Amino acid sequence: MAPISIQTVLISESVDPRCRAILEENGIRVTEKPNMKRDELMAEIKDYDGLVVRSATKVTADVIDAADNLKIIGRAGTGVDNVDVDAATKKGIIVMNTPSGNTISAAELTCALLMSLSRNVPQAAMSMKQGNWDRKKFMGAELYGKVLGILGLGRIGKEVSSRMQSFGMRTIGYDPITPVEVSAGWGVEQMSLEQLWPQCDYITVHTPLMPSTVGLLGDETFAKCKKGVKVVNCARGGIIDEAALLRALESGQCGGAGLDVFVEEPPKNRPLVDHPNVISCPHLGASTKEAQARCGEDIALQIVDMVKGRKLVGAVSSSSTAYMTSSVLVGLLSRDSGSCPNLINVLSQAKESGIEVNQSHCASDGAAGGVCTVEVEATGCGYKAGGAVQGDVPVLLQLSDSVFRQPVSLAGNLLFFKASPSPQLLSSVAGLLAAEGVEIESFSAPAERSGDLWYCVGVSSLPRDLSALQPLVKEAAQITI
């Protein structure tokens, strides 16, 4: 990817010192201003190219609108529900997170809550501190032989499954993205939610918070579960309906809950937090020294990689997974002086402009591996180009129906023209270019030798007037790369 200029970064929350150190080592000026209110952030953000947050800073559309120079929002953690990703995308701002930074810490806390639910560890510890010795009250159950349902089989779900399998649990799961054969390789049997609910002794959720997952565990789903099922949420508040959970706890349909996250934090739903069968934590999933160091370091390294044009890791912006399509559209729409497209906002700009975009991927044989073909149709005519990267050099292999005998290196000044083949074509074109003070440095001809074909010449400079070629060619275009 092309380098992006990031000269100043604002860190609005407490992150590991390595984050600042890495950014400054790479020539980026860093300001740390934690605990800013919304209005303070809106006034401050206009001066910065980058913003680094954790989960407390709410990067709303208003904040993004106030950010005149912002190019990157880095979330030192996994979820980005505190960032208005759509608003950032429309403004061409990259939103990235650190998808693996707190994986181990969140998985370990999940396992700790599962074990605590099975043996009433926090309740027994509190009873001991109160001077009691009540062994019968805290009778537990083994995890061995029990069924654990894992909703969401990404990084954290995978780590939880391997750890709980070591306790002899049978792990089943659901994920609309992870292939069944992939999760089977970790020992997790995937099935539909309707099949999963009645089998589980324990359920843990590891999905993002989105419309399809809000209230995933509610009154209707609790009714389909085993009586006494125990649930854990170390993902996002709201995936488990808190009111429904309290009703299930009071009726005995749910035997216990381990909660690290809440819809509102700190939670005001005290009946749920105070329920004797609820083990609650103040959002500690990523609260380990290792996770904080890893997330702070990861987000800094990802920003540096982006600045240096090496790679783009952790991007969650709407356009971030379709670089090839976005690159083509940037090239097309950049000719319109009224827009400022980039890889992040160009898909939304294309949609607003009425451009229909289709993309497909297909398997190719060894000879054609890694080839990208772009077709553009407008006002009744169309063009097609096929290219690839050979070594580290982008090359053009085909233009419309003309397949070049030698790949055209996409660098320097290039003149393309369409003409009928003839022995005198090259010398005639060279003569016309020479009259313009332009020298030919390279020449690429198509493999075919009949019909109107496209040719490419590398030139010392672009000719001022392409109309000089009209007696010889039917179409012509030029570009500097």
Side-chain angles (χ1 to χ4, degrees):
M1 61 173 287
I4 296 175
S5 176
I6 302 291
Q7 299 181 7
T8 56
V9 166
L10 173 65
I11 300 177
S12 66
E13 297 182 55
S14 176
V15 297
D16 189 84
R18 282 287 293 152
C19 179
R20 177 172 190 155
I22 291 171
L23 293 174
E24 290 182 335
E25 288 167 4
N26 287 274
I28 298 173
R29 298 191 302 276
V30 178
T31 300
E32 293 185 80
K33 288 193 175 183
N35 305 317
M36 282 186 291
K37 295 180 180 178
R38 173 179 169 274
D39 291 343
E40 294 172 326
L41 178 60
M42 289 178 66
E44 184 75 20
I45 194 62
K46 66 181 186 299
D47 298 324
Y48 296 91
D49 301 317
L51 173 65
V52 172
V53 303
R54 287 181 61 192
S55 58
T57 301
K58 307 304 179 187
V59 190
T60 61
D62 289 342
V63 172
I64 290 168
D65 285 341
D68 297 332
N69 301 315
L70 201 61
K71 302 179 182 72
I72 173 74
I73 300 170
R75 160 76 164 99
T78 50
V80 290
D81 39 286
N82 58 318
V83 179
D84 191 326
V85 176
D86 288 339
T89 298
K90 289 178 181 177
K91 200 164 181 181
I93 299 169
I94 295 172
V95 179
M96 64 168 58
N97 64 357
T98 53
S100 60
N102 64 0
T103 296
I104 299 300
S105 293
E108 288 182 352
L109 180 62
T110 300
C111 297
L113 289 175
L114 288 167
M115 289 183 278
S116 295
L117 284 172
S118 73
R119 300 302 295 269
N120 304 302
V121 175
Q123 298 93 326
M126 184 59 68
S127 177
M128 287 286 289
K129 291 181 184 296
Q130 294 170 349
N132 301 319
W133 183 267
D134 197 341
R135 299 175 68 189
K136 292 182 179 179
K137 182 178 180 180
F138 302 112
M139 179 66 65
E142 292 183 349
L143 293 172
Y144 182 84
K146 303 300 190 299
V147 177
L148 172 63
I150 305 173
L151 307 184
L153 297 169
R155 293 178 178 87
I156 297 173
K158 177 184 178 182
E159 296 296 336
V160 169
S161 70
S162 64
R163 284 157 176 76
M164 300 318 295
Q165 286 164 15
S166 67
F167 283 85
M169 298 192 82
R170 176 186 169 220
T171 51
I172 62 177
Y174 170 78
D175 191 301
I177 298 175
T178 303
V180 172
E181 60 272 15
V182 171
S183 60
W186 326 323
V188 178
E189 178 188 355
Q190 278 205 57
M191 57 187 65
S192 69
L193 290 172
E194 294 302 309
Q195 293 172 305
L196 181 142
W197 302 127
Q199 298 190 47
C200 297
D201 300 296
Y202 296 81
I203 296 173
T204 178
V205 296
H206 300 286
T207 70
L209 183 64
M210 57 181 67
S212 61
T213 63
V214 171
L216 186 59
L217 271 165
D219 288 317
E220 184 178 344
T221 46
F222 272 120
K224 297 175 182 178
C225 294
K226 283 184 180 180
K227 188 174 182 63
V229 65
K230 296 179 172 66
V231 299
V232 170
N233 186 2
C234 287
R236 284 290 181 268
I239 298 172
I240 298 177
D241 184 320
E242 293 178 355
L245 173 58
L246 183 58
R247 288 189 288 269
L249 287 162
E250 291 174 342
S251 70
Q253 183 63 21
C254 178
L259 304 175
D260 185 47
V261 290
F262 300 86
V263 172
E264 187 176 15
E265 296 182 354
K268 293 182 179 178
N269 188 353
R270 298 309 304 182
L272 180 62
V273 175
D274 295 338
H275 194 282
N277 291 338
V278 171
I279 303 169
S280 56
C281 300
H283 204 147
L284 299 178
S287 295
T288 64
K289 295 177 181 178
E290 295 84 357
Q292 290 309 302
R294 200 177 295 123
C295 287
E297 183 171 330
D298 284 355
I299 197 64
L301 291 172
Q302 288 170 205
I303 291 173
V304 170
D305 281 342
M306 184 191 71
V307 168
K308 294 183 180 297
R310 296 171 184 156
K311 55 185 175 180
L312 185 59
V313 175
V316 298
S317 305
S318 301
S319 301
S320 61
T321 56
Y323 302 124
M324 190 67 69
T325 300
S326 296
S327 296
V328 172
L329 290 170
V330 167
L332 290 173
L333 295 181
S334 293
R335 301 178 68 88
D336 179 3
S337 58
S339 63
C340 298
N342 62 27
L343 292 177
I344 305 305
N345 64 14
V346 72
L347 285 179
S348 60
Q349 286 194 9
K351 185 176 181 180
E352 292 170 0
S353 300
I355 297 175
E356 181 181 346
V357 180
N358 296 303
Q359 64 177 11
S360 62
H361 299 265
C362 60
S364 57
D365 57 32
V371 173
C372 173
T373 301
V374 176
E375 295 187 54
V376 179
E377 294 183 7
T379 61
C381 62
Y383 295 89
K384 179 171 70 174
V389 176
Q390 296 183 353
D392 292 326
V393 179
V395 296
L396 181 68
L397 305 174
Q398 177 180 358
L399 184 56
S400 291
D401 294 327
S402 302
V403 178
F404 295 104
R405 274 180 273 179
Q406 295 295 328
V408 177
S409 178
L410 294 175
N413 301 310
L414 299 176
L415 170 63
F416 295 91
F417 60 86
K418 187 176 185 180
S420 299
S422 73
Q424 295 80 31
L425 179 61
L426 178 57
S427 59
S428 300
V429 169
L432 290 175
L433 292 176
E436 291 277 323
V438 177
E439 298 179 1
I440 291 181
E441 297 178 343
S442 64
F443 177 69
S444 299
E448 294 292 322
R449 295 183 177 275
S450 60
D452 292 332
L453 302 172
W454 281 98
Y455 297 80
C456 177
V457 290
V459 292
S460 58
S461 61
L462 297 180
R464 292 184 298 272
D465 185 9
L466 288 178
S467 63
L469 299 174
Q470 280 183 352
L472 297 174
V473 308
K474 298 185 177 179
E475 292 183 63
Q478 57 187 355
I479 187 172
T480 298
I481 303 175

